[in-house]
Amino acid sequence: MLKLIKWQNVLGILIGSAIFAFGFVHFNIAHELSEGGFTGITLILLFTLGWDPALMNILLNIPVFVIGYKLLGKRSFIYTLIGTVSFSVFLAIFQRYAFTFQLHDDMLLVSLFAGVFIGVGLGIIFRFGGTTGGVDILARLTHKYFGWSMGKTMFAFDALIILLSWVTFLDARSMMYTLVAVYVGGHVVDVVQDGQYAARGVFIISPKHEEIAARITTHMERGVTVLSGKGYFTKETKDILYCVVPKNETVRIKTIIELIDPHAFVSISEVRDVSGEGFTLDDQKRPLH
């Protein structure tokens, strides 16, 4: 069983859980903001019945774990178990040893900080292969047995929980700030999970592609791939250049192309995550630090 675990992944999940729990306690609980998923249910139980969210998170996830064990696979199950249990442990710790933030009842700041902490925490957990259980497992089950979209299932469940929070303990003002926190958190999760090596993918079609490729290779020290394409209308075959560059080199590569062929067709698209030589590895295939 231990052979399935990468300890750097476990460490990453623990760090993500700690960040998630810190934000959850000091911003969501402290200022009575809601949240989606099972964490949102624990807030409803806390503010209506006074039940401990750390304990409730474990209890709510037990039946989901039992049902979803075979679906997740051993490694994913272990990482999910670690994420769920560590989140509850950190919740208990931060509830006992809480900090006081002097935000002077500025709920906009509270909601922004809640979204950032929860987004960063969850993003790190997801990036290292873990989850905090709950809706993620339910979404996988409904997708497998009913064909429902996982994204739509998770959105519907989160919307239902936030609506129930409004009915039970949220006032209209807190409801609005909860939506701000959830929106910010969702975007931060994407940024953290998709990677720090955001770049731009550049497609170039030009009769001077050889000269352009040579200039990019020698002046920018970036690799260029030559793809074979065919125009639908003209039926002509053409060589297409593809190159991935960091965002801060986009202007430079455009300048090179324009100097050689101002009429070249250039398409630049966002690349959300990049790994390999020049980005995460050096020219000796060693990790960059």
Side-chain angles (χ1 to χ4, degrees), residues 138-193:
L138 291 178
R140 294 188 191 189
L141 288 170
T142 56
H143 177 71
K144 179 178 181 179
Y145 294 107
F146 300 102
W148 297 354
S149 164
M150 288 184 61
K152 290 181 180 178
T153 300
M154 295 177 73
F155 175 80
F157 193 92
D158 288 348
L160 176 62
I161 297 305
I162 294 174
L163 181 61
L164 287 175
S165 300
W166 189 19
V167 172
T168 53
F169 74 91
L170 284 181
D171 56 27
R173 181 170 178 265
S174 297
M175 175 68 172
M176 295 298 104
Y177 286 119
T178 291
L179 295 177
V180 172
V182 171
Y183 178 82
V184 171
H187 280 269
V188 174
V189 165
D190 288 341
V191 171
V192 176
Q193 185 184 6

Side-chain angles (χ1 to χ4, degrees), residues 48 53 77 80 82 104 171 185 187-188 203 208 252 255 288:
T48 57
F77 178 78
T80 297
I82 292 171
H104 306 290
D171 56 27
H187 280 269
V188 174
F203 285 95
K208 299 181 180 180
R252 189 177 175 190
T255 301
L288 293 171

Side-chain angles (χ1 to χ4, degrees), residues 249-288:
E249 293 185 7
T250 305
V251 174
R252 189 177 175 190
I253 194 171
K254 288 172 66 177
T255 301
I256 288 174
I257 297 168
E258 289 173 1
L259 286 173
I260 298 173
D261 182 5
H263 303 291
F265 177 85
V266 181
S267 173
I268 301 177
S269 58
E270 183 177 5
V271 178
R272 301 295 294 274
D273 196 5
V274 185
S275 60
E277 187 176 339
F279 291 91
T280 58
L281 302 174
D282 62 17
D283 55 3
Q284 301 299 318
K285 310 298 183 183
R286 294 173 300 194
L288 293 171

Side-chain angles (χ1 to χ4, degrees), residues 199-214:
R200 296 292 183 265
V202 185
F203 285 95
I204 308 159
I205 302 176
S206 168
K208 299 181 180 180
H209 62 274
E210 288 286 352
E211 187 178 350
I212 293 173

Side-chain angles (χ1 to χ4, degrees), residues 39-193:
T39 50
I41 297 177
T42 65
L43 286 173
I44 294 174
L45 296 175
L46 170 66
F47 290 121
T48 57
L49 301 174
W51 293 356
D52 180 16
L55 177 60
M56 287 300 102
N57 184 63
I58 295 291
L59 294 179
L60 288 170
N61 274 291
I62 288 176
V64 179
F65 282 145
V66 173
I67 297 172
Y69 172 73
K70 292 184 178 180
L71 177 67
L72 287 174
K74 290 183 179 180
R75 177 177 294 175
S76 295
F77 178 78
I78 292 172
Y79 288 158
T80 297
L81 189 62
I82 292 171
T84 304
V85 173
S86 62
F87 174 63
S88 287
V89 171
F90 284 120
L91 271 183
I93 293 172
F94 290 132
Q95 285 182 101
R96 185 169 183 177
Y97 304 101
F99 295 88
T100 301
F101 292 93
Q102 300 297 330
L103 297 177
H104 306 290
D105 295 323
D106 188 336
M107 290 301 294
L108 180 58
L109 274 179
V110 170
S111 60
L112 291 175
F113 275 115
V116 168
F117 271 91
I118 291 175
V120 170
L122 281 176
I124 293 173
I125 293 171
F126 294 158
R127 188 168 179 82
F128 284 95
T131 72
T132 54
V135 180
D136 179 71
I137 299 176
L138 291 178
R140 294 188 191 189
L141 288 170
T142 56
H143 177 71
K144 179 178 181 179
Y145 294 107
F146 300 102
W148 297 354
S149 164
M150 288 184 61
K152 290 181 180 178
T153 300
M154 295 177 73
F155 175 80
F157 193 92
D158 288 348
L160 176 62
I161 297 305
I162 294 174
L163 181 61
L164 287 175
S165 300
W166 189 19
V167 172
T168 53
F169 74 91
L170 284 181
D171 56 27
R173 181 170 178 265
S174 297
M175 175 68 172
M176 295 298 104
Y177 286 119
T178 291
L179 295 177
V180 172
V182 171
Y183 178 82
V184 171
H187 280 269
V188 174
V189 165
D190 288 341
V191 171
V192 176
Q193 185 184 6

